[in-house]
Amino acid sequence: MLFFCAALRQEVPPRSRPGARIGEELFPRIGRGDAAAFEELYRLTEKTIYAYALSILKHPSDAQDVMMETYLKIRESAHLYRPMGKPLAWMLTIARNLALMKLRAASHASERSYDDLSDESEFSGVMDREDGIVLRAALKLLEESERQIVLLHAVSGLKHQEIAQSLSMNLSTELSKYHRSLKKLKKHLAEQGGYHEKAGN
């Protein structure tokens, strides 16, 4: 199954829906050092945190680093969490802060340009070739908020309502950005000749 290609055809990838299952009771347990609670939170949200970090950093290895840093920070700060009904939004805020810190550090050190996407091999563990083509186009072409929505839906399988809530966005705005993003990708990929609707059939 091609998850990004399925999104372009407006099919729903059969991913799990992690955002709806995060129990806020996990955080005080994690704060008390409960390893099982931490493992459960990681299992439920790792794809979501990774996709979100990737939408900001645009490099898989950097997104992986920030994802791991995010969970370390969550483990350290879980005792500070206060139930708000938006546990994923709290986690994404941590991931965003860490990702922006990494961007600033890279900029100051002139380590590399985040506008230049890495080679094909960096995406090989994420998805197959055609999904890779669509992902690279999304990272290069879309605005940050559009990348966040598309990646959270296609990579982690969050529902649009969950994405809107987690990004503090109303649902109509989220859906508008999502469909506009798909149109951009379809147009770009058609012009580049790198994707065909029948490819995933």
Side-chain angles (χ1 to χ4, degrees), residues 31-82:
R32 294 192 296 269
D34 188 330
F38 183 73
E39 290 173 6
E40 181 179 355
L41 183 69
Y42 181 85
R43 177 181 59 81
L44 291 173
T45 59
E46 61 166 319
K47 289 185 177 67
T48 300
I49 300 300
Y50 174 79
Y52 185 73
L54 183 61
S55 74
I56 298 171
L57 295 165
K58 302 197 292 185
H59 282 271
S61 60
D62 291 336
Q64 186 76 21
D65 289 345
V66 165
M67 182 187 77
M68 299 311 297
E69 291 170 9
T70 298
Y71 284 105
L72 290 174
K73 186 69 173 178
I74 288 169
R75 188 166 59 185
E76 294 171 0
S77 306
H79 65 287
L80 300 174
Y81 178 80
R82 296 295 177 266

Coordinates of all heavy atoms in Angstrom, one line a residue, residues 31-82:
G31 N 5.5 10.2 35.0 CA 6.2 11.1 36.0 C 6.6 10.3 37.2 O 7.6 10.8 37.9
R32 N 6.0 9.2 37.5 CA 6.4 8.4 38.7 C 7.4 7.3 38.3 O 7.7 6.5 39.1 CB 5.1 7.8 39.3 CG 4.2 8.8 40.0 CD 3.1 8.1 40.8 NE 2.3 7.2 40.0 CZ 1.1 7.6 39.5 NH1 0.7 8.9 39.6 NH2 0.4 6.8 38.8
G33 N 7.8 7.4 37.0 CA 8.8 6.4 36.6 C 8.3 5.1 36.1 O 9.0 4.1 36.0
D34 N 7.0 5.1 35.7 CA 6.3 3.9 35.2 C 6.8 3.6 33.7 O 6.4 4.3 32.8 CB 4.8 4.0 35.2 CG 4.1 2.7 34.9 OD1 4.6 1.9 34.1 OD2 3.0 2.6 35.4
A35 N 7.7 2.6 33.6 CA 8.2 2.3 32.3 C 7.2 1.8 31.3 O 7.2 2.1 30.1 CB 9.4 1.3 32.4
A36 N 6.2 1.0 31.8 CA 5.2 0.5 30.9 C 4.3 1.6 30.3 O 3.9 1.6 29.1 CB 4.3 -0.5 31.7
A37 N 4.0 2.7 31.1 CA 3.3 3.8 30.6 C 4.0 4.6 29.6 O 3.5 5.0 28.6 CB 2.9 4.7 31.8
F38 N 5.3 4.7 29.8 CA 6.2 5.4 28.8 C 6.2 4.6 27.5 O 6.1 5.2 26.4 CB 7.6 5.6 29.4 CG 8.5 6.4 28.5 CD1 8.4 7.7 28.3 CD2 9.5 5.7 27.8 CE1 9.2 8.4 27.5 CE2 10.3 6.4 26.9 CZ 10.2 7.8 26.8
E39 N 6.4 3.3 27.6 CA 6.4 2.5 26.4 C 5.1 2.5 25.6 O 5.1 2.6 24.4 CB 6.7 1.0 26.8 CG 8.2 0.9 27.2 CD 8.4 -0.5 27.8 OE1 7.5 -1.4 27.7 OE2 9.6 -0.8 28.3
E40 N 4.0 2.6 26.4 CA 2.7 2.7 25.7 C 2.5 4.0 25.0 O 2.0 4.1 23.8 CB 1.5 2.5 26.7 CG 0.2 2.6 26.1 CD -1.0 2.4 27.1 OE1 -0.7 2.1 28.3 OE2 -2.1 2.5 26.7
L41 N 2.9 5.1 25.6 CA 2.8 6.4 25.0 C 3.7 6.4 23.7 O 3.3 6.9 22.7 CB 3.3 7.5 25.9 CG 3.2 8.9 25.4 CD1 1.7 9.3 25.3 CD2 3.9 9.9 26.3
Y42 N 4.9 5.9 23.8 CA 5.8 5.8 22.6 C 5.1 5.0 21.5 O 5.1 5.5 20.4 CB 7.1 5.2 23.0 CG 8.1 5.1 21.9 CD1 8.9 6.2 21.6 CD2 8.2 4.0 21.1 CE1 9.8 6.2 20.6 CE2 9.1 4.0 20.1 CZ 9.9 5.0 19.8 OH 10.8 5.0 18.7
R43 N 4.6 3.9 21.8 CA 4.0 3.1 20.8 C 2.8 3.8 20.1 O 2.6 3.7 18.9 CB 3.5 1.7 21.4 CG 2.7 0.8 20.5 CD 2.3 -0.4 21.2 NE 1.4 -0.2 22.3 CZ 0.1 0.1 22.1 NH1 -0.5 0.1 20.9 NH2 -0.7 0.3 23.2
L44 N 2.0 4.5 20.9 CA 0.8 5.2 20.3 C 1.2 6.4 19.5 O 0.4 6.8 18.6 CB -0.1 5.6 21.5 CG -0.8 4.5 22.3 CD1 -1.5 5.1 23.5 CD2 -1.8 3.8 21.4
T45 N 2.3 7.0 19.8 CA 2.6 8.3 19.2 C 3.8 8.5 18.4 O 4.1 9.6 17.8 CB 2.6 9.4 20.3 OG1 3.6 9.1 21.2 CG2 1.3 9.5 21.0
E46 N 4.7 7.5 18.3 CA 6.0 7.7 17.6 C 5.9 8.1 16.2 O 6.6 9.0 15.7 CB 6.8 6.4 17.7 CG 6.2 5.2 17.0 CD 7.2 4.0 16.9 OE1 8.4 4.3 16.5 OE2 6.9 2.9 17.1
K47 N 4.9 7.5 15.4 CA 4.8 7.9 14.0 C 4.3 9.4 13.9 O 4.7 10.1 13.0 CB 3.8 7.0 13.3 CG 4.3 5.6 13.0 CD 3.3 4.8 12.2 CE 3.9 3.4 11.9 NZ 4.0 2.6 13.1
T48 N 3.5 9.8 14.8 CA 3.0 11.2 14.8 C 4.1 12.2 15.1 O 4.2 13.2 14.4 CB 1.8 11.3 15.9 OG1 0.8 10.4 15.5 CG2 1.3 12.7 15.9
I49 N 4.8 11.9 16.2 CA 5.9 12.8 16.5 C 7.0 12.8 15.4 O 7.5 13.9 15.1 CB 6.6 12.4 17.9 CG1 5.5 12.4 19.0 CG2 7.8 13.3 18.2 CD1 4.9 13.8 19.2
Y50 N 7.3 11.7 14.8 CA 8.3 11.7 13.7 C 7.8 12.5 12.6 O 8.5 13.3 12.0 CB 8.5 10.2 13.3 CG 9.4 10.2 12.1 CD1 10.8 10.3 12.2 CD2 8.9 10.0 10.8 CE1 11.6 10.3 11.1 CE2 9.7 9.9 9.7 CZ 11.0 10.1 9.8 OH 11.8 10.1 8.7
A51 N 6.5 12.3 12.2 CA 6.0 13.0 11.0 C 6.0 14.5 11.3 O 6.3 15.3 10.3 CB 4.5 12.5 10.7
Y52 N 5.6 14.9 12.5 CA 5.6 16.3 12.8 C 7.0 16.9 12.7 O 7.2 18.0 12.2 CB 5.0 16.5 14.2 CG 4.8 18.0 14.5 CD1 3.8 18.7 13.9 CD2 5.6 18.6 15.5 CE1 3.6 20.0 14.3 CE2 5.4 19.9 15.9 CZ 4.4 20.6 15.2 OH 4.2 21.9 15.6
A53 N 8.0 16.2 13.3 CA 9.3 16.7 13.3 C 9.9 16.8 11.9 O 10.5 17.8 11.5 CB 10.2 15.8 14.1
L54 N 9.5 15.8 11.1 CA 9.9 15.8 9.7 C 9.3 17.0 8.9 O 10.0 17.5 8.0 CB 9.6 14.5 9.0 CG 10.0 14.3 7.6 CD1 11.5 14.3 7.4 CD2 9.5 12.9 7.0
S55 N 8.1 17.3 9.2 CA 7.5 18.4 8.5 C 8.2 19.8 8.7 O 8.1 20.7 7.9 CB 6.0 18.5 8.9 OG 5.9 19.1 10.2
I56 N 8.9 19.9 9.9 CA 9.6 21.1 10.2 C 11.0 21.0 9.7 O 11.5 22.0 9.1 CB 9.6 21.3 11.7 CG1 8.2 21.5 12.2 CG2 10.5 22.5 12.1 CD1 8.0 21.5 13.7
L57 N 11.7 19.9 9.9 CA 13.1 19.8 9.6 C 13.4 19.3 8.2 O 14.5 19.7 7.7 CB 13.8 18.8 10.6 CG 13.7 19.2 12.1 CD1 14.0 18.0 13.0 CD2 14.7 20.3 12.3
K58 N 12.6 18.5 7.6 CA 12.7 18.1 6.2 C 13.9 17.2 6.0 O 14.2 16.9 4.8 CB 12.8 19.3 5.3 CG 11.6 20.2 5.4 CD 11.4 21.1 4.2 CE 12.5 22.2 4.1 NZ 12.3 23.1 3.0
H59 N 14.4 16.6 7.0 CA 15.5 15.6 6.9 C 15.2 14.4 7.9 O 15.0 14.7 9.1 CB 16.9 16.2 7.3 CG 17.5 17.0 6.2 ND1 18.2 16.5 5.2 CD2 17.3 18.3 5.9 CE1 18.6 17.4 4.3 NE2 18.1 18.6 4.7
P60 N 15.1 13.2 7.3 CA 14.7 12.1 8.2 C 15.6 11.8 9.4 O 15.1 11.6 10.5 CB 14.8 10.9 7.2 CG 14.5 11.5 5.8 CD 15.2 12.9 5.9
S61 N 16.9 11.9 9.2 CA 17.8 11.7 10.4 C 17.6 12.7 11.4 O 17.6 12.4 12.6 CB 19.2 11.6 9.9 OG 19.6 12.8 9.3
D62 N 17.4 14.0 11.1 CA 17.2 15.0 12.0 C 15.9 14.9 12.7 O 15.7 15.1 13.9 CB 17.3 16.4 11.4 CG 18.7 16.7 10.9 OD1 19.6 16.2 11.4 OD2 18.8 17.6 10.0
A63 N 14.9 14.5 12.0 CA 13.5 14.2 12.5 C 13.6 13.1 13.5 O 12.9 13.1 14.6 CB 12.5 13.9 11.4
Q64 N 14.4 12.0 13.2 CA 14.5 10.9 14.1 C 15.2 11.4 15.4 O 14.8 11.0 16.5 CB 15.4 9.8 13.5 CG 15.5 8.5 14.3 CD 14.2 7.7 14.2 OE1 13.4 7.9 13.3 NE2 14.1 6.8 15.2
D65 N 16.2 12.2 15.3 CA 16.9 12.7 16.5 C 15.9 13.5 17.4 O 15.9 13.4 18.6 CB 18.1 13.6 16.1 CG 19.2 12.9 15.5 OD1 19.3 11.6 15.6 OD2 20.1 13.5 14.8
V66 N 15.2 14.4 16.7 CA 14.2 15.3 17.5 C 13.1 14.4 18.1 O 12.7 14.7 19.3 CB 13.7 16.4 16.6 CG1 12.4 17.0 17.3 CG2 14.7 17.4 16.4
M67 N 12.7 13.4 17.4 CA 11.7 12.5 18.0 C 12.2 11.9 19.3 O 11.5 11.9 20.3 CB 11.3 11.4 17.0 CG 10.2 10.5 17.5 SD 9.9 9.0 16.5 CE 11.4 8.0 16.9
M68 N 13.4 11.4 19.3 CA 14.0 10.8 20.5 C 14.2 11.8 21.6 O 13.9 11.5 22.8 CB 15.3 10.1 20.2 CG 15.2 9.0 19.1 SD 13.8 7.8 19.5 CE 14.4 7.1 21.0
E69 N 14.6 13.0 21.2 CA 14.8 14.1 22.2 C 13.4 14.5 22.8 O 13.3 14.8 24.0 CB 15.4 15.3 21.6 CG 16.9 15.1 21.2 CD 17.4 16.2 20.3 OE1 16.7 17.3 20.2 OE2 18.5 16.1 19.8
T70 N 12.4 14.4 22.0 CA 11.1 14.7 22.5 C 10.6 13.8 23.6 O 10.1 14.2 24.6 CB 10.0 14.7 21.3 OG1 10.4 15.7 20.4 CG2 8.6 15.0 21.8
Y71 N 10.8 12.5 23.3 CA 10.4 11.5 24.3 C 11.2 11.6 25.6 O 10.7 11.4 26.7 CB 10.5 10.1 23.8 CG 9.3 9.8 22.9 CD1 9.5 9.8 21.5 CD2 8.0 9.7 23.4 CE1 8.4 9.6 20.6 CE2 6.9 9.5 22.5 CZ 7.1 9.5 21.2 OH 6.0 9.3 20.3
L72 N 12.5 12.0 25.5 CA 13.3 12.2 26.7 C 12.8 13.4 27.5 O 12.7 13.3 28.7 CB 14.8 12.4 26.3 CG 15.6 11.2 25.7 CD1 16.9 11.7 25.3 CD2 15.7 10.1 26.8
K73 N 12.4 14.4 26.8 CA 11.9 15.6 27.4 C 10.5 15.3 28.1 O 10.2 15.8 29.2 CB 11.7 16.7 26.4 CG 11.3 18.1 27.0 CD 12.4 18.7 27.9 CE 12.0 20.1 28.3 NZ 13.1 20.7 29.2
I74 N 9.7 14.5 27.4 CA 8.4 14.1 27.9 C 8.6 13.3 29.2 O 7.9 13.6 30.2 CB 7.6 13.3 26.9 CG1 7.1 14.2 25.8 CG2 6.4 12.6 27.6 CD1 6.5 13.5 24.6
R75 N 9.5 12.4 29.2 CA 9.8 11.6 30.4 C 10.2 12.5 31.6 O 9.8 12.3 32.7 CB 10.8 10.6 30.1 CG 11.0 9.6 31.3 CD 11.8 8.3 30.8 NE 13.1 8.7 30.3 CZ 13.9 7.8 29.8 NH1 13.6 6.5 29.7 NH2 15.1 8.1 29.4
E76 N 11.0 13.5 31.3 CA 11.5 14.5 32.3 C 10.4 15.4 32.8 O 10.4 15.8 34.0 CB 12.7 15.3 31.8 CG 13.9 14.5 31.4 CD 14.9 15.4 30.7 OE1 14.6 16.6 30.5 OE2 16.0 14.9 30.4
S77 N 9.5 15.7 31.9 CA 8.5 16.8 32.2 C 7.1 16.2 32.5 O 6.2 17.0 32.7 CB 8.4 17.8 31.1 OG 9.7 18.3 30.8
A78 N 6.9 14.9 32.4 CA 5.6 14.4 32.5 C 4.9 14.8 33.8 O 3.6 14.9 33.8 CB 5.6 12.8 32.4
H79 N 5.6 14.9 34.9 CA 5.0 15.3 36.2 C 4.4 16.7 36.1 O 3.6 17.1 37.0 CB 6.0 15.2 37.3 CG 7.2 16.2 37.2 ND1 8.2 16.1 36.2 CD2 7.4 17.3 37.9 CE1 9.0 17.1 36.4 NE2 8.6 17.8 37.4
L80 N 4.8 17.5 35.1 CA 4.3 18.9 35.0 C 3.0 19.0 34.2 O 2.4 20.0 34.1 CB 5.4 19.8 34.4 CG 6.7 19.9 35.1 CD1 7.7 20.7 34.3 CD2 6.5 20.6 36.5
Y81 N 2.7 17.9 33.5 CA 1.5 17.9 32.6 C 0.2 18.0 33.4 O 0.0 17.4 34.4 CB 1.5 16.6 31.8 CG 0.2 16.5 30.9 CD1 0.2 17.1 29.7 CD2 -0.9 15.8 31.3 CE1 -0.9 17.1 28.9 CE2 -2.0 15.7 30.5 CZ -2.0 16.4 29.3 OH -3.1 16.4 28.5
R82 N -0.6 18.9 32.9 CA -1.9 19.1 33.5 C -3.0 18.7 32.5 O -3.0 19.2 31.4 CB -2.1 20.6 33.9 CG -1.1 21.0 35.0 CD -1.4 20.3 36.3 NE -0.4 20.7 37.4 CZ 0.7 20.0 37.6 NH1 1.0 18.9 36.9 NH2 1.5 20.4 38.6

